[in-house]
Amino acid sequence: MDVEEFRQRGKEMVDMVADYYSNIRERRVLPNIDPGYLSSLIPSDAPHEPEKWEDVVKDIERAIMPGMTHWLHPQFHAYYPAGYSFPSILADILCSGIPNVYFTWIASPAATELEQIVLDWLAKALNLPSDFLLKNEIGEVQQGGGVIQGSASEAALIAMLAARNEAVKKLQSNCPGLKDHEAVGLLIAYGSDQAHSSFDKAARIAGVKFRKLPTDEEFALRGEALEAAIKEDTQAGLHPFYLFAALGTTSSCAFDKLPELGPICVKFGLWMHIDAAYAGSAFICPEYRPLLNGVEFAESFNFNAHKWLLTSFDCSCMWVKRRDSLISALNVDPAYLRNAASEAGVVVDYRHWQIPLGRRFRSLKLWFVMRLYGISGIQQFIRNHIELAKRFERFVQASDRFEIPVKPALGLVCFRLKGSNELNKEFMKAINDSGKVHLLGTQLRDQYVLRMAVASEQAKESDIDVTWKVISSIAEAIMNKRNS
C-alpha cells in the first residue's frame, strides 16, 4: 500500500466507522454465536501472497462483526461505559500515524511534555489537591505529578509496589539485617469486600498478604473496620502498609468513606490509593466533587478517562503526591537508555512510572477531547448520563414487580425482580439471550441483582425507554410462565 492508496483507504475506513456509529441501533447488542465460531470463517494459516484490500474489508462484516459485542450500542448497559468520541478516534489515528515508542524524554519530547501538561489540566478540572500537580500555579516543578497508565489495574499495582518499597525500607531501618523477602512477608494490604479484582491481583503479583474488610449497609468501607483490622494484624506481628480505597465500586457504585479512612492511614502510616475507575470522571462536575472529599489524605489517585471521559481505551489517569516513590520502586537504568537530559535530572522519564518500558502517545486523545469538548461539554455529557439513569430508576420504582436493593449512584441503577435469586438469574439470562439489551448481574451479599449502567455515548431518553420496554416485557413473560 503506497501513500496514495493509504489516503483513499483511510477515507473509506473513516466512512466505515461513521456508518457503524450511525447504524448501530440496527445490530444485536450481544452476538448470537458459539465459542470457536471464527475458526470456520478464517483460514488456519496466514496467506502466503498479498490479498486485496476489498477482500479484507468484506471479511470484517462477514467474519468479525457477527462476533462483536457492541459496547457503543444504546442498549449496552453492562459493566461501565467504554470511552468513545470522534475527537478521540482522530487522535488515535494521529498517534498511529506518527509512531514513536517514548520511554525517555529524548525519545519524544512532545509526547512526554504534553502528558505532563494535560494531566495537570485534568487535575485542576477535578479540583485535586495541588500536591498532585507536577507544577504549581507559578510554574515551579513540585514533587507530585500525573501519568497515563494502561488501566486502573496497572495503577493499583504500581501504587502497591511503591508502597511496598517504602514499607520494606522502613522495616529494615528498624530491624537491621532483615532481608527483603522477610520484610515483604510481614506486609499486609487492605481493601473492602467490594474492592475490584485488581486489588487481589496486585497483592498476588506484589507477593504480599491482603485482607478484604467488611462494608456497611451501603457497601462502603468505614474507618472503624479498617482501624480494627490494623490493630489486630499489628498485634499478630504484621505490618499494615497499603489501603485500596474505592470510589464507585463495580457491583453497586459504592463509595468508601475517605474522610474516615484517610486519617487512620496517616495515623498508622498506610499508603492510601484511591481507585475511582468509573466514578472519577463525574468529579469534573462541581456538584459531584464532594464525593472525592478525603482525597487529600491519599498518596495516589486514579480514574479511567477511557470509561466516562469520552476518551477511547487505553487512558487511565494516575496522580501521585511523591513521584520519587514510584521512581525509587521502578527505576532500572541500563546504559543504553541514558541521555544527557535524563542524567541532568531536568526532565521526566515516564519509564520509571510504569511497568512496561515503551508507551504510546496517549495524551494526544485526552488533549483532543478536552479542547474540542471543553470542560463544559464533558460536564454536559456526564450529567446527561446521570439523568438517563434517573429516568430508568423512575420506571423501576413505578412497577410493583421490581425492587431497588441499593441506592442508585451516578449512571448506575441496581434492581431486581421481587423474588428469589434463581428467578433473577433466569430473568438476567432471558434479557441477554434476547440480544436486544445487555445487562450484567452481580451478587450483593445474599442477593443477586441486575445492573443497568448508562454506557453509550449517544444514549438518549428514547433509548432508555426502549431498554425499559424490553426488560419489562421479558419480566412479564417470565412471571406469566411461572404463574400459569
Side-chain angles (χ1 to χ4, degrees):
M1 184 179 290
D2 60 21
V3 170
E4 290 309 312
E5 184 180 1
F6 169 72
R7 194 186 304 276
Q8 175 189 346
R9 302 310 186 191
K11 292 174 182 177
E12 292 173 4
M13 187 58 67
V14 168
D15 284 342
M16 181 184 296
V17 172
D19 289 343
Y20 171 77
Y21 180 91
S22 298
N23 302 319
I24 196 167
R25 287 178 174 84
E26 300 173 8
R27 298 180 181 272
R28 284 177 57 103
V29 186
L30 275 174
N32 185 25
I33 48 89
D34 294 320
Y37 89 98
L38 198 55
S39 296
S40 63
L41 300 177
I42 291 181
S44 57
D45 296 308
H48 187 266
E49 300 297 330
E51 296 186 353
K52 294 180 180 179
W53 167 263
E54 291 81 3
D55 292 336
V56 175
V57 171
K58 287 178 184 177
D59 280 348
I60 294 174
E61 197 62 47
R62 181 186 70 87
I64 302 303
M65 283 300 179
M68 293 297 293
T69 297
H70 299 289
W71 284 61
L72 305 184
H73 198 293
Q75 272 68 59
F76 179 96
H77 300 295
Y79 312 105
Y80 280 126
Y84 178 92
S85 69
F86 295 134
S88 181
I89 292 172
L90 293 174
D92 263 339
I93 292 174
L94 184 59
C95 177
S96 297
I98 49 172
N100 59 75
V101 184
Y102 78 101
F103 33 75
T104 60
W105 175 85
I106 196 61
S108 190
T112 296
E113 296 193 11
L114 184 64
E115 187 161 338
Q116 297 169 5
I117 292 169
V118 171
L119 284 173
D120 270 5
W121 277 8
L122 189 50
K124 293 174 185 176
L126 297 171
N127 195 21
L128 289 182
S130 59
D131 295 358
F132 285 108
L133 275 67
L134 181 71
K135 293 183 178 180
N136 61 21
E137 291 297 331
I138 60 174
E140 296 173 334
V141 176
Q142 305 186 121
Q143 294 183 3
V147 58
I148 298 177
Q149 307 288 359
S151 68
S153 300
E154 289 178 36
L157 172 60
I158 289 163
M160 187 177 288
L161 293 175
R164 185 188 71 172
N165 185 59
E166 292 190 346
V168 166
K169 289 180 178 179
K170 181 179 179 180
L171 285 170
Q172 290 175 331
S173 67
N174 293 332
C175 301
L178 188 68
K179 296 179 180 179
D180 286 356
H181 72 274
E182 293 172 333
V184 170
L186 298 174
L187 302 181
I188 186 164
Y190 302 109
S192 83
D193 58 18
Q194 300 297 307
H196 191 269
S197 60
S198 59
F199 166 64
D200 307 48
K201 183 174 285 188
R204 291 171 182 172
I205 294 173
V208 299
K209 299 178 180 66
F210 67 97
R211 284 180 62 178
K212 305 190 84 167
L213 306 179
T215 49
D216 66 11
E217 66 280 359
E218 296 179 345
F219 303 98
L221 181 61
R222 307 297 298 266
E224 183 180 359
L226 175 63
E227 185 162 8
I230 290 172
K231 290 180 177 178
E232 178 184 340
D233 289 330
T234 301
Q235 190 172 7
L238 297 176
H239 184 79
F241 80 107
Y242 177 93
L243 172 66
F244 179 97
L247 295 182
T249 58
T250 301
S251 286
S252 66
C253 200
F255 290 78
D256 291 341
K257 305 299 183 182
L258 299 188
E260 297 178 15
L261 300 168
I264 293 170
C265 289
V266 173
K267 177 181 177 181
F268 292 98
L270 275 69
W271 178 301
M272 184 165 75
H273 172 72
I274 297 175
D275 175 88
Y278 162 68
S281 297
F283 305 149
I284 204 168
C285 300
E287 64 269 32
Y288 299 112
R289 175 56 177 78
L291 294 170
L292 187 55
N293 288 349
V295 66
E296 62 271 17
F297 298 107
E299 288 291 338
S300 52
F301 169 76
N302 167 251
F303 85 99
N304 287 339
H306 62 241
K307 275 191 168 68
W308 209 14
L309 208 74
L310 295 160
T311 307
S312 52
F313 190 83
D314 54 345
C315 188
S316 187
C317 302
M318 178 185 187
W319 290 267
V320 292
K321 284 182 176 176
R322 298 175 293 113
R323 61 180 179 277
D324 284 350
S325 61
L326 300 189
I327 296 170
S328 176
L330 301 172
N331 185 0
V332 178
D333 199 27
Y336 53 80
L337 293 177
R338 295 173 190 160
N339 60 84
S342 298
E343 293 291 303
V346 295
V347 296
V348 166
D349 284 340
Y350 277 124
R351 65 190 175 95
H352 300 316
W353 298 41
Q354 61 178 23
I355 301 298
L357 172 62
R359 55 206 330 271
R360 298 189 306 116
F361 198 171
R362 292 177 290 206
S363 59
L364 264 181
K365 51 191 172 186
L366 203 53
W367 190 48
F368 274 39
V369 167
M370 294 187 74
R371 293 186 66 185
L372 294 172
Y373 279 88
I375 300 301
S376 64
I378 296 170
Q379 290 171 336
Q380 181 181 357
F381 166 72
I382 289 170
R383 287 168 178 150
N384 178 58
H385 268 203
I386 294 172
E387 287 305 311
L388 293 177
K390 290 178 180 178
R391 182 178 185 85
F392 182 83
E393 179 188 358
R394 289 192 292 271
F395 284 139
V396 176
Q397 289 174 330
S399 173
D400 293 335
R401 281 199 174 101
F402 296 95
E403 60 185 355
I404 297 177
V406 62
K407 184 179 178 181
L410 301 179
L412 179 70
V413 180
C414 292
F415 69 105
R416 68 194 307 272
L417 282 169
K418 294 176 181 177
S420 67
N421 287 344
E422 289 68 27
L423 170 64
N424 279 278
K425 288 178 181 179
E426 178 186 349
F427 179 40
M428 175 74 178
K429 184 177 185 302
I431 292 171
N432 287 332
D433 284 350
S434 76
K436 298 176 181 178
V437 171
H438 184 23
L439 298 182
L440 189 70
T442 191
Q443 194 78 26
L444 293 176
R445 298 206 172 96
D446 61 346
Q447 283 192 322
Y448 184 84
V449 305
L450 285 70
R451 300 168 69 262
M452 197 295 299
V454 180
S456 173
E457 179 269 342
Q458 54 181 308
K460 51 190 179 182
E461 287 187 353
S462 59
D463 294 310
I464 298 301
D465 296 351
V466 169
T467 294
W468 175 249
K469 184 177 179 180
V470 171
I471 289 173
S472 57
S473 64
I474 292 175
E476 182 176 5
I478 287 177
M479 298 310 294
N480 288 341
K481 180 180 178 182
R482 287 200 165 214
N483 294 332
S484 62

